[in-house]
Amino acid sequence: MSSRLRIFGSPISTYYNKIKIALIELDLPFEEVPFMPGAGHWPESGSPSGKIPFLHTAEGKLYESQAIIEYLEDIRPQASVSLFPGNPIERARCRELIQYIELYLDAAARPVYPAAFWGAQLNQDVLAAALENLEKGLRTLGRRADLEHWLCGEHYTHADAAAWVHLSAIRRTLNIVGEKDFLDRHLPALSGYMDRAAQRPSTQRIEADRRAAGRALKEQQTTAQGN
Ligand SMILES: N[C@@H](CCC(=O)N[C@@H](CS)C(=O)NCC(=O)O)C(=O)O
């Protein structure tokens, strides 16, 4: 069991929230340390890649959200319920779904984020490529995920945490760039699934923190522009 876990990053980050959901669901006490990417070269960058999130533990530092998730599972309190299914083939399928979500959906949408969230000009070619890749990613996920329940079946897993953080960010992005119905058109069962995931206390906590951090960031930017 760990004595002290410190997660570095920001509640506006999808990968940070994937880990934060795991910490909450696995009942692991943790501390949040605000850290934005772009802090310079390693080691000032906080992580070797310069990306957030990363985790400091009493035993050492860890980078990359999936490696961190696996570590949290290894140290979780015995009384907590694992967020991986019990049997090996289902556990592997859960990891497979996380790969689909991160490699084929998050990575597909990311080129549009600067226009959606950071004030950059929207490039129509970039948007068209993102939509084409997202369509393929949604088709792939839909073939393997159980959208009528939790993605891996009866129980909530890390795949559901990954689905919420990335797909809700993709949904916000598509709304901003005028593609509001894209997800429903290409994966109709997703909407009911997302409504169900939104009810979960861990989802509600990360969403409240994300909105508060987003507001604080906007205020900071407005103040900086005024100076
Ligand atoms: N593969 C990494 C991805 C982390 C990632 O992309 N983080 C974003 C924030 S959500 C970031 O730091 N972006 C800034 C950058 O790429 O410089 C993980 O799983 O932890």
Side-chain angles (χ1 to χ4, degrees):
M1 210 355 237
S2 84
S3 53
R4 186 151 182 252
L5 299 172
R6 287 191 297 154
I7 173 176
F8 288 71
S10 164
I12 65 166
S13 149
T14 51
Y15 288 94
Y16 179 91
N17 284 332
K18 170 186 162 190
I19 293 175
K20 191 162 150 186
I21 291 177
L23 287 161
I24 298 166
E25 295 274 352
L26 294 174
D27 204 19
L28 283 159
F30 63 99
E31 193 187 314
E32 296 184 68
V33 185
F35 194 96
M36 286 301 262
H41 297 292
W42 172 254
E44 292 76 32
S45 56
S47 69
S49 63
K51 292 180 193 286
I52 56 168
F54 48 94
L55 187 79
H56 287 190
T57 82
E59 298 164 297
K61 299 174 184 176
L62 275 176
Y63 312 97
E64 288 295 314
S65 64
Q66 197 54 36
I68 293 170
I69 292 289
E70 305 283 342
Y71 171 77
L72 297 180
E73 278 286 334
D74 284 345
I75 61 155
R76 75 182 164 79
Q78 274 186 348
S80 73
V81 177
S82 171
L83 292 191
F84 280 127
N87 86 40
I89 191 81
E90 284 306 314
R91 268 205 301 281
R93 184 167 78 100
C94 182
R95 294 181 173 108
E96 176 193 326
L97 295 179
I98 295 170
Q99 293 283 89
Y100 292 150
I101 293 162
E102 296 187 346
L103 298 179
Y104 307 148
L105 292 166
D106 170 62
R110 219 153 253 271
V112 187
Y113 287 3
F117 302 122
W118 304 107
Q121 189 79 21
L122 178 63
N123 178 317
Q124 290 301 330
D125 292 340
V126 169
L127 177 60
L131 295 179
E132 195 182 325
N133 289 330
L134 279 173
E135 192 180 331
K136 284 189 214 157
L138 289 169
R139 201 180 313 132
T140 305
L141 182 68
R143 287 173 176 157
R144 288 288 279 166
D146 181 355
L147 290 161
E148 299 305 325
H149 301 93
W150 296 115
L151 291 194
C152 298
E154 202 184 329
H155 300 290
Y156 183 91
T157 68
H158 293 293
D160 297 295
W164 174 266
V165 299
H166 295 301
L167 287 165
S168 62
I170 292 170
R171 186 162 63 180
R172 286 192 298 281
T173 303
L174 294 173
N175 285 349
I176 293 168
V177 301
E179 289 290 342
K180 193 174 185 314
D181 302 326
F182 187 88
L183 293 180
D184 288 338
R185 240 186 7 259
H186 293 287
L187 197 53
L190 191 62
S191 142
Y193 166 79
M194 293 293 277
D195 288 349
R196 211 164 33 255
Q199 302 307 315
R200 203 151 173 106
S202 59
T203 311
Q204 294 188 347
R205 176 162 163 197
I206 61 123
E207 284 304 310
D209 293 351
R210 181 184 64 76
R211 282 192 287 269
R215 279 194 301 271
L217 196 63
K218 263 205 188 105
E219 274 164 28
Q220 256 175 33
Q221 285 166 343
T222 312
T223 312
Q225 276 160 10
N227 289 334

